[in-house]
């Protein structure tokens, strides 16, 4: 069941269709009616949208729609149903809790705990981009730290295969650590109020793929350094990469806090634990091929410090 992104109260659906657009083939995007300040009912001439009240992928709803008003806080239950991806991405960067509730509960959340196809694509994109960042980081390291390793002397395809394996193992280790810890009752300190007495936070923590979805969605900032490929400039001391990792760590913290209903301390502990496990696995793999000296730089262990300082602040 979808929830209100403002107060987290469950609502039966997110919007209603007031007039069908079947008579107008050119109508592709519904026009939202915000003129009424009263709850939108399903009276005469109003058609309720099934599947949790959200637009399904590939489905075009014609006509005018009215956003559902939350019976508890009297605000629109989910204003993001009418917003495009650009607005969602900007609010993700700004770490707005409402956009995380929209994505994790109303748009990407599934009762069968299967990954949404868009999350699968996003996860692959983040993994491939992590390969580029790790490879670039190790290649830019001083030569005396990499001279004892055979990796830089391998053919390009074999180097890419190695860094792909490294990124896959570190990402899996991070996700598995957080998913395992998230199932513990300590990280379910609060719940989303429910009309039927169910605990939405407990449901989310019992669905491991929902935790991975939250991590992928809140890691979109990892794509920002792609601008360094387009515009070349000196990154003194790796400050750009450090800033991105700080932002990703804080966004992971906020996404897990919203999904699990836990405190900032609990979410920070999850992110820190995942980062530590990721670093340990990365150091082990890099140490096996003589790149242990550059492990700290390549696997970016210092985002744990960002999490700890963010929680303390």
């Amino acid at each position: 069941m979808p929830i209100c992104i403002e107060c987290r109260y469950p609502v039966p659906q997110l919007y209603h269709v007031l007039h069908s657009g079947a008579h107008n083939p050119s109508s592709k995007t519904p026009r939202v009616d915000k003129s009424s300040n009263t709850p939108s009912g399903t009276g005469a001439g109003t058609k309720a949208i099934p599947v949790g009240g959200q637009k399904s992928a590939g489905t075009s709803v014609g006509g005018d729609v009215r956003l559902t008003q939350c019976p508890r806080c009297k605000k629109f239950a989910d204003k993001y149903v009418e917003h495009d991806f650009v607005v969602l991405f900007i609010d993700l960067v700004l770490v707005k809790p409402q956009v995380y509730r929209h994505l994790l509960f109303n748009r990407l959340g599934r009762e069968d705990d299967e990954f949404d196809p868009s999350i699968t694509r996003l996860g692959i994109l983040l993994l491939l981009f992590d390969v580029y960042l790790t490879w670039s980081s190790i290649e830019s390291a001083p030569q005396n730290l990499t001279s004892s390793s055979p990796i830089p002397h391998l053919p390009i395809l074999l180097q890419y295969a190695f860094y792909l394996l490294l990124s896959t193992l570190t990402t899996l280790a991070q996700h598995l650590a957080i998913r395992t810890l998230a199932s513990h009752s300590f990280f379910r300190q609060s719940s989303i109020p429910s009309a039927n007495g169910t605990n939405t936070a407990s449901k989310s923590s019992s669905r491991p793929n929902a935790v991975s979805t939250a991590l992928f969605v809140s890691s979109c900032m990892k794509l920002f350094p792609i601008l360094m490929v387009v515009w070349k400039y000196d990154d003194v001391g790796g400050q750009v990469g450090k800033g991105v990792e700080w932002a990703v760590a804080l966004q992971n913290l906020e996404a897990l806090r919203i999904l699990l209903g836990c405190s900032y301390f609990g979410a920070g502990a999850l992110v820190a634990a995942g980062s530590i496990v990721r670093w340990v696995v990365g150091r082990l793999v890099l140490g096996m091929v003589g790149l242990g000296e550059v492990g700290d730089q390549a696997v970016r262990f210092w985002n744990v410090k960002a999490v700890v300082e963010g929680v303390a602040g």
Side-chain angles (χ1 to χ4, degrees):
M1 176 179 290
I3 65 171
C4 172
I5 63 173
E6 301 292 342
C7 68
R8 306 182 300 172
Y9 193 80
V11 293
Q13 54 198 29
L14 300 177
Y15 64 91
H16 304 84
V17 171
L18 301 179
H19 304 287
S20 173
H23 63 281
N24 185 5
S26 63
S27 177
K28 295 182 179 180
T29 304
R31 180 171 60 85
V32 176
D33 178 14
K34 291 186 176 180
S35 59
S36 174
N37 291 324
T38 59
S40 301
T42 55
T46 302
K47 179 181 178 182
I49 298 298
V51 195
Q54 65 184 44
K55 303 175 189 177
S56 58
T59 301
S60 178
V61 180
D64 299 334
V65 301
R66 175 177 294 173
L67 297 179
T68 299
Q69 187 181 35
C70 175
R72 187 184 187 197
C73 66
K74 306 305 179 184
K75 297 180 180 179
F76 290 116
D78 193 344
K79 62 183 180 181
Y80 288 106
V81 297
E82 61 169 328
H83 291 168
D84 57 19
F85 175 76
V86 175
V87 176
L88 294 178
F89 184 77
I90 292 174
D91 285 353
L92 279 174
V93 173
L94 297 176
V95 199
K96 291 189 176 181
Q98 291 85 354
V99 72
Y100 283 107
R101 295 188 186 114
H102 163 75
L103 291 172
L104 299 179
F105 292 102
N106 296 346
R107 186 166 184 174
L108 301 175
R110 298 179 58 168
E111 293 295 332
D112 57 1
D113 195 32
E114 294 292 333
F115 281 118
D116 187 87
S118 60
I119 291 299
T120 303
R121 294 191 293 268
L122 176 61
I124 294 174
L125 179 62
L126 290 173
L127 177 64
L128 295 179
F129 198 69
D130 192 49
V131 171
Y132 164 75
L133 291 178
T134 304
W135 195 350
S136 174
S137 178
I138 293 178
E139 280 199 338
S140 61
Q143 189 173 3
N144 63 310
L145 298 180
T146 60
S147 58
S148 60
S149 173
I151 298 299
H153 307 291
L154 293 176
I156 294 297
L157 290 180
L158 291 181
Q159 289 190 53
Y160 183 84
F162 168 76
Y163 290 116
L164 178 60
L165 176 63
L166 173 64
S167 297
T168 302
L169 291 177
T170 53
T171 301
L172 284 176
Q174 180 185 24
H175 280 242
L176 289 176
I178 294 177
R179 287 164 62 138
T180 301
L181 292 175
S183 62
H184 196 277
S185 59
F186 174 78
F187 299 102
R188 300 194 300 270
Q189 297 178 359
S190 64
S191 62
I192 293 178
S194 176
N196 56 8
T198 58
N199 187 333
T200 307
S202 297
K203 282 184 176 181
S204 299
S205 60
S206 64
R207 298 199 298 264
N209 284 343
V211 176
S212 291
T213 296
L215 292 175
F216 283 135
V217 167
S218 58
S219 298
C220 290
M221 283 284 290
K222 284 186 177 181
L223 302 177
F224 270 15
I226 199 172
L227 298 176
M228 299 173 65
V229 180
V230 182
W231 294 286
K232 298 291 183 181
Y233 57 90
D234 293 331
D235 183 15
V236 180
Q239 295 302 315
V240 174
K242 291 180 181 179
V244 169
E245 288 294 330
W246 277 57
V248 170
L250 294 178
Q251 287 181 332
N252 287 165
L253 186 153
E254 183 68 15
L256 291 174
R257 184 190 71 85
I258 290 173
L259 179 71
L260 303 176
C262 61
S263 63
Y264 278 106
F265 177 81
L270 286 174
V271 176
S275 297
I276 292 173
V277 172
R278 177 187 178 93
W279 176 78
V280 169
V281 172
R283 281 300 300 266
L284 288 175
V285 175
L286 290 173
M288 294 172 61
V289 295
L291 292 173
E293 295 296 328
V294 295
D296 290 344
Q297 180 182 3
V299 186
R300 308 180 197 279
F301 173 66
W302 31 258
N303 64 355
V304 178
K305 179 181 178 183
V307 176
V308 174
E309 293 185 356
V311 174

